[in-house]
Amino acid sequence: MSKNSDYPKVMCTQHPDAASKYISTQEEPEEALEAATTFGCDEYMPDYEGKATPYHQNVQIVSKFIEETDLVPGKDFFITPRAPSAVQENRFRQLMVMMSIAEANQVALEYSDVQAINEFVHPMTGTVREIIEAQQHMVDVSELAKKEFGFSMDVPRIVPLIEDAPALLHAKELAENTILSWKEHFGIAPEKFRVFLGKSDSALSFGHVVSALSCKYAINGITELNAELDIKTGVILGAGSLPFRGHLDLKNAENFFTEYKGIGTITLQSAVRFDHEKGDAKALVKLAKARLPETPDIYSVEEKEELVNIMGIFGARYSRILKELGPAINGIAELLPQQRDRLMNKGRNGYSRTAPDISGLTSLCCSDIGKELENSMPAEDLRLPRAIKFTGALYSIGLPPEFIGTGLALEDTRKRLGETACENLLTKYYPSLKSDLDFASKYLNLNVASRFLSGTCLKEVSKDIGILCDILNLETRPEPSYNILLEMMQPELLQTGNMDEEVSQLVCSTITKMGKIRKALG
């Protein structure tokens, strides 16, 4: 039986969240090497999801490790590509990545008897069928490789990435049904199995608190499953350094590891490696290797009911404001630097986000709370930037997204569910909320934000912040140098007619400098 401790502890990723460094696809094989030899990571994720990563990158990385280190890929260091979703992008790109996995394994097996790539990540997973279909295609590619190139490999296993709050609430069922369907379809249960939980996209769709709570709910569910099955499912938690995207950095490490007990692997994203103090990333990796995994407390039935109703309340408050934000932040998001080589957002090979199916959350809530959440959602899909640029854009106008809907939802929770539920949220379910908001408050400036927000939006956000200051004793004191840059942000500068090259460079430079001060682009 596999144990959680057998899994890698720190996965270095290609997330474009560093403010201070652009990394081209040509530099990424060297980045993988650096992840192992400089930072001490034990896993690297070549990323093909919505990204212009060349298919031969897997082979380049494996070859680099063979030629330049004593580390054996697949034994001393793990390479786990993220393939495109056949549903969200297209099947052709997914199959090409699978072929590149086979090629990388052929190169590795010519060097040693160790297979380099044993898993691959499937993004935006919604159903068991998606997982089984993708796994079957990996089986087909493995058989083709054996037929055409005369080598055999163990079929790399799929790692489903669950990225929206309603799906996270059903992570246990998804994992269990996948394992059962796997056994039925392929004749044997997977020898090892991991689930990847995403903080960022659930935050974008439902807000900071719902995202954190849904990840914790998922971790609890997987922990329950591990007690029930003969296979130990490992949990990867994808988190960035800003609170909205997970608050994973060295300074907040104690809060993070306590908050998300039960995970076996963290992601070390670009901002922590390149924007934070020298040595922080290496120290964080060392700490993660010492701490992970830790056993979480298991929620009771009553606690789960309370949690989902809290999530319904917070999701509704956030969604009401989100509907107003799209026009204000899309233009700003486009001015944030593109720190990795991405695909276009539109077209046949494009990549876009759509509004999530909320039934997985509303079905668990009290009927009135579920109905309120349904009514708060946009009538149609909002055009929003991806999570990193969404977060960076809001920080760039003085409105960290951690605040959106949070104060009013706290007040609603107290009124709808009682004082005890509110206290449970702050002390038991999410005790790190205050430290998250303390961090974000250094970059809050409602005077600047008011230039970009509608009157309705500004009124609601002002109430949020007033309530949070009262309940949590927050002090909103903007970081002085950051505040100077914030004051330079004027809506008229961002209007197409006024955006000449000189103004564009000034605004982009200002936005990038703010990212460097907060030590993450988004």
Side-chain angles (χ1 to χ4, degrees), residues 397-399 445-455 457-459 461-462 491:
I397 62 169
L399 179 58
N445 186 325
L446 268 190
N447 289 329
V448 174
S450 67
R451 303 168 189 169
F452 297 87
L453 305 178
S454 68
C457 189
L458 178 64
K459 184 179 178 181
V461 171
S462 298

Side-chain angles (χ1 to χ4, degrees), residues 188-445:
I188 186 171
E191 180 189 346
K192 299 176 81 171
F193 190 66
R194 284 200 290 175
V195 174
F196 199 148
L197 311 178
K199 168 81 173 70
S200 298
D201 285 302
S202 51
L204 189 157
S205 299
F206 291 93
H208 177 51
V209 172
V210 176
S211 180
L213 294 180
S214 59
C215 284
K216 294 185 72 170
Y217 194 103
I219 293 163
N220 263 259
I222 298 298
T223 304
E224 289 177 340
L225 185 64
N226 282 338
E228 297 166 7
L229 296 184
D230 248 0
I231 180 170
K232 290 297 180 186
T233 300
V235 177
I236 308 166
L237 180 60
S241 61
L242 294 179
F244 196 70
R245 297 190 55 248
H247 210 175
L248 176 56
D249 63 14
L250 187 61
K251 287 184 179 179
N252 194 58
E254 183 60 38
N255 283 334
F256 181 88
F257 289 124
T258 301
E259 200 71 67
Y260 296 105
K261 284 182 179 178
I263 62 172
T265 308
I266 61 168
T267 57
L268 191 73
Q269 300 184 7
S270 304
V272 174
R273 285 178 281 138
F274 304 123
D275 291 339
H276 286 240
E277 299 298 323
K278 189 176 181 181
D280 279 10
K282 191 172 182 179
L284 180 61
V285 171
K286 185 177 180 180
L287 183 60
K289 287 184 173 181
R291 293 284 300 265
L292 298 177
E294 297 181 35
T295 305
D297 298 325
I298 299 299
Y299 297 136
S300 67
V301 172
E302 293 76 19
E303 286 171 333
K304 288 179 183 177
E305 290 176 357
E306 189 168 72
L307 269 168
V308 295
N309 283 312
I310 290 171
M311 285 186 243
I313 290 169
F314 272 80
R317 279 294 182 182
Y318 175 83
S319 296
R320 286 191 194 117
I321 300 176
L322 185 66
K323 288 191 284 191
E324 302 276 337
L325 283 176
I329 63 169
N330 282 320
I332 302 164
E334 291 176 4
L335 296 170
L336 270 70
Q338 192 86 320
Q339 302 294 55
R340 299 275 176 163
D341 298 328
R342 300 206 61 82
L343 295 175
M344 295 181 298
N345 284 330
K346 297 178 181 178
R348 184 171 174 77
N349 292 321
Y351 176 95
S352 62
R353 299 282 186 182
T354 56
D357 175 6
I358 64 169
S359 60
L361 173 52
T362 56
S363 64
L364 298 175
C365 295
C366 295
S367 59
D368 58 332
I369 292 174
K371 181 61 68 176
E372 192 172 330
L373 178 59
E374 285 179 2
N375 293 337
S376 74
M377 298 299 288
E380 55 187 35
D381 292 347
L382 284 174
R383 189 179 79 84
L384 292 170
R386 295 194 70 198
I388 290 170
K389 289 200 170 186
F390 175 87
T391 307
L394 284 165
Y395 266 91
S396 298
I397 62 169
L399 179 58
E402 293 85 352
F403 291 104
I404 297 173
T406 304
L408 286 164
L410 262 179
E411 192 175 69
D412 287 350
T413 298
R414 178 177 283 158
K415 290 176 181 176
R416 305 278 291 276
L417 303 178
E419 187 69 43
T420 301
C422 191
E423 188 67 21
N424 284 343
L425 171 63
L426 297 174
T427 60
K428 180 163 62 174
Y429 303 142
Y430 196 16
S432 296
L433 178 59
K434 185 180 187 305
S435 65
D436 287 351
L437 295 173
D438 279 333
F439 174 94
S441 67
K442 293 182 291 185
Y443 309 104
L444 175 70
N445 186 325

Side-chain angles (χ1 to χ4, degrees), residues 5-64:
S5 56
D6 294 338
Y7 295 118
K9 303 289 183 70
V10 185
M11 172 191 278
C12 179
T13 71
Q14 297 178 353
H15 284 85
D17 63 334
S20 59
K21 189 166 185 177
Y22 161 78
I23 299 176
S24 68
T25 54
Q26 289 78 15
E27 296 172 291
E28 285 167 347
E30 185 63 38
E31 179 186 48
L33 206 64
E34 182 183 58
T37 58
T38 300
F39 297 111
C41 301
D42 46 8
E43 187 170 23
Y44 184 80
M45 187 181 78
D47 197 358
Y48 295 86
E49 184 204 12
K51 192 165 166 288
T53 306
Y55 296 119
H56 58 270
Q57 189 175 99
N58 290 322
V59 177
Q60 288 178 312
I61 292 170
V62 169
S63 298
K64 258 196 175 298

Side-chain angles (χ1 to χ4, degrees), residues 131-152:
I131 300 171
I132 299 302
E133 284 183 354
Q135 188 65 50
Q136 181 60 56
H137 285 296
M138 190 72 248
V139 170
D140 295 341
V141 167
S142 301
E143 291 175 351
L144 180 64
K146 183 176 182 179
K147 176 184 176 183
E148 295 295 332
F149 306 111
F151 85 99
S152 296

Side-chain angles (χ1 to χ4, degrees), residues 170-192:
H170 298 274
K172 177 185 178 182
E173 296 95 312
L174 181 73
E176 183 174 19
N177 291 335
T178 296
I179 292 167
L180 294 174
S181 296
W182 197 306
K183 189 172 183 179
E184 181 182 344
H185 193 87
F186 300 109
I188 186 171
E191 180 189 346
K192 299 176 81 171

